[in-house]
Amino acid sequence: MELTTAKKYLLLTERIGKKPMLRTRFTAQAYFVLAALFDLVDQGVLEIGDVISIKDDQKFAELPDYLNIFKSELTDEIQQGHDMPTQLAIITSWDIANQIYDGLGTGLFADGLVDKKLVKTNLDTHAIYLPTDAARRQVRDYLRHQIDGAKVNQDAISLMLILSELDALKWVFTDKDELANLAAAFQQKVDGYAFYAKEKALAKVAQDVITKKKFWYDSWLS
């Protein structure tokens, strides 16, 4: 089982500057977990309806250990009968984001797609998985080829949707003309996809959840 959208998101997003993106940036973390959730929908583990539900109990039970906290919290949300916005609060979990990050980062390091750096954040020292330039180019080229092709894969749809929600496509495709052409071609291809419509609706709810949580943090810290 591969979290392909989440992996590609990490390879495009992670940086080591003043603060590593996926260890300390709340919004980047939340969309990282959303990318993993999209992967599980794509692979038939979960299902999007009025709420998020488990589509395949066996696949869900066999998910890797780095999804244990995610599994536990989502199961609790489902059992309590919570609505979609309440369920989606799990994407704002620091523990879930970091567990997925460590799990995927280890695999990407073994594949030679990232370098492992130790960075001190606040009082802790964390492993940061810094993507190689070649790995970033591979993801950009993958998205280009998907959009130019006959049909866009679901993981490419998920990644483009998340990058659009973050207004981050301009950092992936820095040429304005190319970006405009790719965005238009992508939209034309996916407008009739039921999968895209479901994920776009879920992403809108996720955006509201993230915004409200950010306001709560700002209020709490002020």
Side-chain angles (χ1 to χ4, degrees), residues 136-154:
R136 293 194 205 277
R137 283 196 301 270
Q138 285 177 12
V139 179
R140 285 195 295 267
D141 289 343
Y142 172 75
L143 290 175
R144 287 189 182 102
H145 294 153
Q146 283 290 303
I147 295 169
D148 289 338
K151 186 176 180 181
V152 189
N153 289 341
Q154 290 186 177

Side-chain angles (χ1 to χ4, degrees), residues 52-126:
I52 302 168
S53 58
I54 299 170
K55 185 175 182 179
D56 190 313
D57 290 324
Q58 183 173 347
K59 285 183 179 179
F60 187 77
E62 293 173 353
L63 289 175
D65 289 346
Y66 62 77
L67 286 167
N68 280 350
I69 302 176
F70 175 89
K71 286 170 59 180
S72 175
E73 294 201 12
L74 180 60
T75 299
D76 186 56
E77 294 292 336
I78 292 172
Q79 289 176 345
Q80 293 191 50
H82 288 158
D83 60 13
M84 179 79 78
T86 306
Q87 288 180 330
L88 276 178
I90 66 173
I91 69 172
T92 65
S93 166
W94 186 88
D95 290 331
I96 291 175
N98 278 281
Q99 190 177 50
I100 296 175
Y101 182 82
D102 286 327
L104 294 185
T106 300
L108 291 169
F109 181 68
D111 291 338
L113 297 173
V114 297
D115 296 320
K116 187 176 181 180
K117 308 286 185 180
L118 295 179
V119 175
K120 188 172 183 178
T121 58
N122 297 325
L123 299 177
D124 297 322
T125 299
H126 293 288

Side-chain angles (χ1 to χ4, degrees), residues 32-44:
F32 178 54
V33 179
L34 182 64
L37 191 154
F38 279 170
D39 281 324
L40 297 179
V41 173
D42 181 7
Q43 296 180 34

Side-chain angles (χ1 to χ4, degrees), residues 157-191:
I157 291 173
S158 300
L159 185 57
M160 286 290 292
L161 178 55
I162 287 173
L163 294 172
S164 297
E165 290 291 321
L166 284 166
D167 192 26
L169 283 170
K170 61 190 175 186
W171 306 115
V172 178
F173 304 108
T174 54
D175 183 279
K176 291 183 179 179
D177 291 336
E178 180 189 24
L179 174 57
N181 291 335
L182 287 172
F186 173 75
Q187 200 62 51
Q188 185 176 20
K189 282 184 176 168
V190 301
D191 270 344

Side-chain angles (χ1 to χ4, degrees), residues 22-48:
L22 297 180
R23 286 294 194 190
T24 59
R25 302 293 176 88
F26 170 74
T27 301
Q29 278 189 333
Y31 277 101
F32 178 54
V33 179
L34 182 64
L37 191 154
F38 279 170
D39 281 324
L40 297 179
V41 173
D42 181 7
Q43 296 180 34
V45 181
L46 302 178
E47 187 168 30
I48 304 172

